[in-house]
Amino acid sequence: MEFFLSCSPGRKRDFSPVLWSQYFESMEDVVVENETGKDTFRIYKSGLEGPVLLLLHGGGHSALSWAVFTSAIISRIQCRIVALDLRGHGETKVRNPEDLSAETMAKDVGSVVEALYGDLPPPIMLIGHSMGGAIAVHTAVANLLPSLLGLCMIDVVEGTAMDALNSMQNFLRSRPKTFKSLENAIEWSVKSGQIRNLESARVSMVGQVKQCEEAASPECPKAIVEGIIEEEEEEDEDEEGGGSVNKRKKEDDTETKKEHLYTWRIELAKTEKYWDGWFRGLSNLFLSCPTPKLLLLAGVDRLDKDLTIGQMQGKFQMQVLPQCGHAVHEDAPDKVAEAVATFLIRHRFTEPIGGFQCVFPAC
């Protein structure tokens, strides 16, 4: 009976946004100067000692996608977290946000580390998800981080990524263009399966969307995205023969038009010319990195030929985390933290804390 009550469909979930400060200890805007001016990169930090885990998010996401993972890893090992909003994403402000080439973004990572630590950076492990995983590899291959300890890619494999590029525009077109509130955006992300973990979605989606300056501005078309909850409730009322459905819908529309809408912070469809450069040749670039390497995947079917051979030759450690979507570190932050912590301890890069016990995976 208790199980039935706790799982009853009538129970409302909380889709309200959560602040970054619930998960990170501090936030900083790092100014990078060069001959043409200044760029400002947003970072979120936690931890005081141990190696730096430099976290690079996927396309369209932000540093906030690492929030729940940060809490999980900090409680397991001695480490410092630096989660970075890449150019064109989150709260980072650069003069040319449209330039999302692998070379430019890799240089950004090196410049931010130099601005933070000068000529004597601490030991750094690069961890990247999807696009961020590709940028991590490009950064490592270009030798932009002299103190690099290790490299971790999360759910990015050249073969799978290149195959997926053909359908990427269709996927992007299928997403809502606007949301009537942050709650609505968070709810969509969970119910669509983009992020399968509500706790992570509540902090992460804040970095993916922004408030429109005007409801009818060009980047925020007038098309209103109805709340998913409201749609479900309307269906229920309709079944009961409720004649108030249309009336309430009109009231909702009027109310929504008075509010500021939310839209995506970055138009990923316009970045298509860079996609090939992120992923082509990635497997061999990853295998060529001399540092210890970890590959975390949502499914073993994602492995391409080069990585399969490399894995059989023991060139990197791999772990498959089933029952996850593409945003593995958001869907299963504790499992990802466990895998990363075990990897770092195994290579004697850090020490466990809080009684954390390593469980070395078979592969």
Side-chain angles (χ1 to χ4, degrees), residues 226-242:
E226 290 299 324
I228 301 163
I229 291 176
E230 282 83 341
E231 285 175 358
E232 287 173 354
E233 288 174 353
E234 283 166 15
E235 282 170 18
D236 292 345
E237 284 180 24
D238 206 24
E239 281 169 17
E240 291 164 17

Side-chain angles (χ1 to χ4, degrees), residues 152-156 294-298 317-321 328 335-336 339-340:
C152 172
M153 290 200 306
I154 299 179
D155 213 43
V156 54
L294 175 64
L295 178 63
L296 300 178
L297 298 175
Q317 184 187 325
M318 184 184 81
Q319 195 164 338
V320 177
L321 301 172
V328 181
K335 286 180 181 175
V336 173
V340 172

Side-chain angles (χ1 to χ4, degrees), residues 329-345:
H329 60 301
E330 296 202 61
D331 295 350
D334 285 308
K335 286 180 181 175
V336 173
E338 227 160 76
V340 172
T342 298
F343 176 84
L344 285 160
I345 293 166

Side-chain angles (χ1 to χ4, degrees), residues 34-313:
N34 53 41
E35 59 281 355
T36 55
K38 294 179 180 179
D39 291 329
T40 306
F41 292 86
R42 169 66 57 86
I43 62 169
Y44 299 88
K45 298 164 77 176
S46 282
L48 296 170
E49 54 185 335
V52 169
L53 308 188
L54 183 53
L55 311 178
L56 308 181
H57 60 79
H61 290 253
S62 80
L64 297 179
S65 70
W66 299 101
V68 186
F69 166 81
T70 293
S71 292
I73 194 82
I74 285 282
S75 68
R76 285 169 167 81
I77 54 170
Q78 282 190 339
C79 66
R80 289 172 275 178
I81 294 291
V82 175
L84 168 66
D85 278 348
L86 293 164
R87 67 168 47 223
H89 293 76
E91 296 290 348
T92 282
K93 311 290 181 206
V94 297
R95 283 152 300 129
N96 187 8
E98 288 80 32
D99 180 8
L100 295 185
S101 66
E103 184 185 2
T104 298
M105 289 201 284
K107 282 179 182 171
D108 288 342
V109 175
S111 298
V112 168
V113 168
E114 191 179 347
L116 281 172
Y117 304 112
D119 294 333
L120 290 170
I124 293 172
M125 178 167 178
L126 266 177
I127 303 177
H129 167 247
S130 195
M131 176 195 79
I135 301 310
V137 172
H138 284 281
T139 305
V141 168
N143 202 24
L144 294 167
L145 301 181
S147 62
L148 188 65
L149 270 186
L151 181 62
C152 172
M153 290 200 306
I154 299 179
D155 213 43
V156 54
V157 167
E158 178 187 349
T160 315
M162 296 302 291
D163 290 345
L165 293 185
N166 298 323
S167 56
M168 185 57 69
Q169 288 287 10
N170 287 336
F171 164 73
L172 294 173
R173 276 193 291 271
S174 74
R175 301 191 306 176
K177 295 216 172 19
T178 58
F179 301 97
K180 64 181 183 181
S181 65
L182 276 174
E183 286 82 357
N184 185 224
I186 292 163
E187 184 180 9
W188 173 84
S189 75
V190 174
K191 293 193 172 179
S192 68
Q194 184 192 339
I195 303 170
R196 299 184 185 182
N197 177 0
L198 176 57
E199 182 187 6
S200 189
R202 290 176 67 191
V203 62
S204 174
M205 278 302 286
V206 177
Q208 289 197 54
V209 297
K210 63 182 179 181
Q211 199 169 44
C212 299
E213 289 173 18
E214 288 181 30
S217 70
E219 57 183 8
C220 297
K222 286 182 181 177
I224 309 288
V225 176
E226 290 299 324
I228 301 163
I229 291 176
E230 282 83 341
E231 285 175 358
E232 287 173 354
E233 288 174 353
E234 283 166 15
E235 282 170 18
D236 292 345
E237 284 180 24
D238 206 24
E239 281 169 17
E240 291 164 17
S244 62
V245 176
N246 291 333
K247 184 183 169 190
R248 201 167 72 77
K249 203 168 188 302
K250 281 177 188 170
E251 285 169 5
D252 281 354
D253 284 354
T254 309
E255 212 172 289
T256 305
K257 282 169 187 169
K258 287 178 192 169
E259 297 168 6
H260 283 296
L261 300 179
Y262 286 79
T263 190
W264 302 102
R265 284 178 184 262
I266 179 169
E267 288 188 68
L268 282 175
K270 291 183 178 178
T271 68
E272 184 174 11
K273 63 181 175 182
Y274 298 114
W275 297 350
D276 189 86
W278 295 344
F279 302 117
R280 189 172 296 281
L282 185 63
S283 294
N284 281 319
L285 288 175
F286 177 68
L287 292 169
S288 73
C289 293
T291 56
K293 295 175 286 294
L294 175 64
L295 178 63
L296 300 178
L297 298 175
V300 74
D301 58 313
R302 284 161 156 79
L303 273 186
D304 59 24
K305 183 183 173 185
D306 290 328
L307 287 182
T308 301
I309 294 168
Q311 203 263 326
M312 289 167 70
Q313 292 171 340

